[in-house]
Amino acid sequence: MDIFDMEIIIQPTAEAATSIAARIIACLLREKPNAVLGLATGSTPLLLYRELIAMKLDWRKVTTFNLDEYVGLDAAHPQSYHSFMWENLFWHVNIPAKNVNIPNGMTKNIPACCESYERKILAVGGIDLQVLGIGTDGHIGFNEQTSSLASRTRIKTLTPRTRKDNARFFGSEAKVPHHVITMGIGTILDARHCLLLAFGKQKARAIAEAVEGPVTSMNPASVLQLHPKVTVCLAAGAASKLKLRDYYRWVFDQKPDWQKI
Ligand code: PGA
């Protein structure tokens, strides 16, 4: 039986934290070549995708589901998450295009598109491992503060803070769409393993609240405390507000050989 928990791994740099996350994914793909991966976009997973590409893993049987997409951006738009994923990962690995799933931001029927996304996840047996970043407000996917902790894939309206955070990709805040389709928090919790990455001091408060604060929709990532198998890979900056950071470091350093990643 798989013994697991919420594991907090603190590394000196983003590169070192990413390298652990990449090893976890590589182990999964070697053990289960037809694994189902949940994937994320944004700055955080860029290093991870670079490392996974360099590992030359076999993606022929892998299926992927991305967390979210902007409403109103077609797949070819440079800031769409379709473009992001193909540019930063899929074009560089041998995944068949038919195995890639990303919500369609141009759908004419958003509820039907969301429902079919959920059905597709179920049809392939659920997500084995979900990669997550975290917003400065604690959002996961685009589940903004006060999202239902039981939510499924649906349309969400971005908060001014998230639109400001993401303006750097669009050149100006005005160009950031207001609406997105995102997997729900309930959808994320159904994944068998959640792998959350965070680097940089700007994420320190969101991480401290998510890991050590109360479970609250004001920090959607805090719901991961209810999940049986979560790995949190942090660079020192993002870990800097954790009260028990020395304990997490000690636990990781003392892991018995059979539990090492
Ligand atoms: P970032 O975004 O990786 O670009 O910091 C994370 C998120 O908003 O989920």
mmCIF file of all heavy atoms in Angstrom, residues 41-45 133-136 139-142 162 166 168-169 202-203, ligand 1:
data_model
loop_
_atom_site.group_PDB
_atom_site.id
_atom_site.type_symbol
_atom_site.label_atom_id
_atom_site.label_comp_id
_atom_site.label_asym_id
_atom_site.label_seq_id
_atom_site.Cartn_x
_atom_site.Cartn_y
_atom_site.Cartn_z
ATOM 1 N N THR A 41 -0.033 25.780 -16.345
ATOM 2 C CA THR A 41 0.705 26.765 -17.153
ATOM 3 C C THR A 41 1.236 27.857 -16.215
ATOM 4 O O THR A 41 1.153 27.709 -15.002
ATOM 5 C CB THR A 41 -0.236 27.371 -18.216
ATOM 6 O OG1 THR A 41 -1.429 27.772 -17.541
ATOM 7 C CG2 THR A 41 -0.583 26.364 -19.287
ATOM 8 N N GLY A 42 1.754 28.931 -16.788
ATOM 9 C CA GLY A 42 2.319 30.009 -15.960
ATOM 10 C C GLY A 42 3.832 29.883 -15.924
ATOM 11 O O GLY A 42 4.414 28.989 -16.560
ATOM 12 N N SER A 43 4.466 30.748 -15.162
ATOM 13 C CA SER A 43 5.940 30.730 -15.112
ATOM 14 C C SER A 43 6.466 29.514 -14.364
ATOM 15 O O SER A 43 7.536 28.986 -14.686
ATOM 16 C CB SER A 43 6.480 31.952 -14.374
ATOM 17 O OG SER A 43 5.778 33.088 -14.732
ATOM 18 N N THR A 44 5.730 29.080 -13.337
ATOM 19 C CA THR A 44 6.259 28.058 -12.432
ATOM 20 C C THR A 44 6.646 26.749 -13.129
ATOM 21 O O THR A 44 7.742 26.247 -12.892
ATOM 22 C CB THR A 44 5.236 27.792 -11.300
ATOM 23 O OG1 THR A 44 4.950 29.044 -10.685
ATOM 24 C CG2 THR A 44 5.792 26.823 -10.275
ATOM 25 N N PRO A 45 5.776 26.159 -13.975
ATOM 26 C CA PRO A 45 6.150 24.860 -14.525
ATOM 27 C C PRO A 45 7.121 24.902 -15.712
ATOM 28 O O PRO A 45 7.477 23.851 -16.245
ATOM 29 C CB PRO A 45 4.801 24.256 -14.946
ATOM 30 C CG PRO A 45 3.899 25.398 -15.149
ATOM 31 C CD PRO A 45 4.408 26.538 -14.348
ATOM 32 N N GLY A 133 0.535 25.042 -9.866
ATOM 33 C CA GLY A 133 1.218 26.225 -9.357
ATOM 34 C C GLY A 133 0.278 26.841 -8.330
ATOM 35 O O GLY A 133 -0.794 26.291 -8.035
ATOM 36 N N ILE A 134 0.634 27.980 -7.820
ATOM 37 C CA ILE A 134 -0.253 28.661 -6.859
ATOM 38 C C ILE A 134 -0.229 30.161 -7.156
ATOM 39 O O ILE A 134 0.835 30.731 -7.450
ATOM 40 C CB ILE A 134 0.171 28.348 -5.399
ATOM 41 C CG1 ILE A 134 -0.833 28.926 -4.387
ATOM 42 C CG2 ILE A 134 1.584 28.843 -5.108
ATOM 43 C CD1 ILE A 134 -0.604 28.420 -2.949
ATOM 44 N N GLY A 135 -1.376 30.787 -7.118
ATOM 45 C CA GLY A 135 -1.428 32.232 -7.316
ATOM 46 C C GLY A 135 -0.992 32.947 -6.041
ATOM 47 O O GLY A 135 -0.962 32.347 -4.956
ATOM 48 N N THR A 136 -0.697 34.240 -6.137
ATOM 49 C CA THR A 136 -0.278 34.984 -4.946
ATOM 50 C C THR A 136 -1.427 35.048 -3.930
ATOM 51 O O THR A 136 -1.224 35.330 -2.760
ATOM 52 C CB THR A 136 0.179 36.416 -5.291
ATOM 53 O OG1 THR A 136 -0.853 37.041 -6.064
ATOM 54 C CG2 THR A 136 1.466 36.415 -6.107
ATOM 55 N N HIS A 139 -4.802 30.832 -5.320
ATOM 56 C CA HIS A 139 -5.626 30.073 -6.276
ATOM 57 C C HIS A 139 -4.856 28.893 -6.861
ATOM 58 O O HIS A 139 -3.639 28.935 -6.992
ATOM 59 C CB HIS A 139 -6.238 30.981 -7.359
ATOM 60 C CG HIS A 139 -5.281 31.529 -8.369
ATOM 61 N ND1 HIS A 139 -5.254 32.843 -8.741
ATOM 62 C CD2 HIS A 139 -4.320 30.925 -9.111
ATOM 63 C CE1 HIS A 139 -4.332 33.026 -9.666
ATOM 64 N NE2 HIS A 139 -3.741 31.879 -9.904
ATOM 65 N N ILE A 140 -5.603 27.827 -7.174
ATOM 66 C CA ILE A 140 -5.049 26.688 -7.913
ATOM 67 C C ILE A 140 -5.919 26.498 -9.148
ATOM 68 O O ILE A 140 -7.125 26.652 -9.078
ATOM 69 C CB ILE A 140 -4.961 25.382 -7.061
ATOM 70 C CG1 ILE A 140 -6.240 25.130 -6.272
ATOM 71 C CG2 ILE A 140 -3.741 25.396 -6.164
ATOM 72 C CD1 ILE A 140 -6.263 23.820 -5.487
ATOM 73 N N GLY A 141 -5.286 26.173 -10.279
ATOM 74 C CA GLY A 141 -5.998 26.322 -11.536
ATOM 75 C C GLY A 141 -6.370 27.796 -11.582
ATOM 76 O O GLY A 141 -5.587 28.656 -11.166
ATOM 77 N N PHE A 142 -7.584 28.101 -12.043
ATOM 78 C CA PHE A 142 -8.059 29.485 -11.933
ATOM 79 C C PHE A 142 -9.203 29.527 -10.924
ATOM 80 O O PHE A 142 -10.159 30.279 -11.077
ATOM 81 C CB PHE A 142 -8.483 30.046 -13.289
ATOM 82 C CG PHE A 142 -7.376 30.749 -14.038
ATOM 83 C CD1 PHE A 142 -7.193 30.520 -15.390
ATOM 84 C CD2 PHE A 142 -6.543 31.661 -13.410
ATOM 85 C CE1 PHE A 142 -6.201 31.179 -16.102
ATOM 86 C CE2 PHE A 142 -5.539 32.327 -14.105
ATOM 87 C CZ PHE A 142 -5.364 32.088 -15.458
ATOM 88 N N THR A 162 -5.397 38.671 -9.997
ATOM 89 C CA THR A 162 -4.873 37.684 -10.938
ATOM 90 C C THR A 162 -4.634 38.324 -12.302
ATOM 91 O O THR A 162 -3.632 38.050 -12.964
ATOM 92 C CB THR A 162 -5.853 36.499 -11.065
ATOM 93 O OG1 THR A 162 -5.984 35.908 -9.780
ATOM 94 C CG2 THR A 162 -5.361 35.467 -12.049
ATOM 95 N N ASN A 166 -1.048 38.484 -14.199
ATOM 96 C CA ASN A 166 -0.836 37.875 -15.512
ATOM 97 C C ASN A 166 -0.632 38.886 -16.634
ATOM 98 O O ASN A 166 -0.384 38.505 -17.777
ATOM 99 C CB ASN A 166 -1.998 36.921 -15.848
ATOM 100 C CG ASN A 166 -1.888 35.636 -15.030
ATOM 101 O OD1 ASN A 166 -1.007 35.514 -14.185
ATOM 102 N ND2 ASN A 166 -2.754 34.689 -15.276
ATOM 103 N N ARG A 168 1.817 40.604 -17.270
ATOM 104 C CA ARG A 168 3.160 40.518 -17.842
ATOM 105 C C ARG A 168 3.198 39.656 -19.104
ATOM 106 O O ARG A 168 4.023 39.852 -19.973
ATOM 107 C CB ARG A 168 4.164 40.006 -16.793
ATOM 108 C CG ARG A 168 3.980 38.560 -16.384
ATOM 109 C CD ARG A 168 4.848 38.244 -15.159
ATOM 110 N NE ARG A 168 4.937 36.829 -14.850
ATOM 111 C CZ ARG A 168 3.999 36.143 -14.187
ATOM 112 N NH1 ARG A 168 2.890 36.765 -13.779
ATOM 113 N NH2 ARG A 168 4.173 34.861 -13.948
ATOM 114 N N PHE A 169 2.296 38.699 -19.221
ATOM 115 C CA PHE A 169 2.270 37.848 -20.408
ATOM 116 C C PHE A 169 1.592 38.539 -21.588
ATOM 117 O O PHE A 169 1.815 38.194 -22.736
ATOM 118 C CB PHE A 169 1.509 36.538 -20.122
ATOM 119 C CG PHE A 169 2.128 35.698 -19.039
ATOM 120 C CD1 PHE A 169 1.474 35.505 -17.820
ATOM 121 C CD2 PHE A 169 3.370 35.093 -19.217
ATOM 122 C CE1 PHE A 169 2.038 34.730 -16.819
ATOM 123 C CE2 PHE A 169 3.939 34.317 -18.224
ATOM 124 C CZ PHE A 169 3.273 34.137 -17.021
ATOM 125 N N GLN A 202 7.368 36.059 -3.442
ATOM 126 C CA GLN A 202 6.000 36.558 -3.702
ATOM 127 C C GLN A 202 4.950 35.478 -3.450
ATOM 128 O O GLN A 202 3.773 35.771 -3.321
ATOM 129 C CB GLN A 202 5.892 37.145 -5.126
ATOM 130 C CG GLN A 202 5.851 36.138 -6.273
ATOM 131 C CD GLN A 202 7.213 35.565 -6.653
ATOM 132 O OE1 GLN A 202 8.223 35.770 -5.966
ATOM 133 N NE2 GLN A 202 7.247 34.818 -7.752
ATOM 134 N N LYS A 203 5.387 34.214 -3.345
ATOM 135 C CA LYS A 203 4.443 33.118 -3.083
ATOM 136 C C LYS A 203 4.457 32.691 -1.605
ATOM 137 O O LYS A 203 3.690 31.810 -1.209
ATOM 138 C CB LYS A 203 4.784 31.893 -3.957
ATOM 139 C CG LYS A 203 4.736 32.142 -5.458
ATOM 140 C CD LYS A 203 3.323 32.349 -5.946
ATOM 141 C CE LYS A 203 3.238 32.756 -7.392
ATOM 142 N NZ LYS A 203 3.518 31.682 -8.338
HETATM 143 P P1 PGA B 1 2.832 31.578 -12.019
HETATM 144 O O1 PGA B 1 1.266 31.461 -11.756
HETATM 145 O O2 PGA B 1 3.340 30.178 -12.165
HETATM 146 O O3 PGA B 1 2.945 32.341 -13.318
HETATM 147 O O4 PGA B 1 3.419 32.286 -10.863
HETATM 148 C C1 PGA B 1 0.782 30.502 -10.874
HETATM 149 C C2 PGA B 1 -0.726 30.571 -10.838
HETATM 150 O O5 PGA B 1 -1.288 31.671 -11.013
HETATM 151 O O6 PGA B 1 -1.347 29.537 -10.615
#
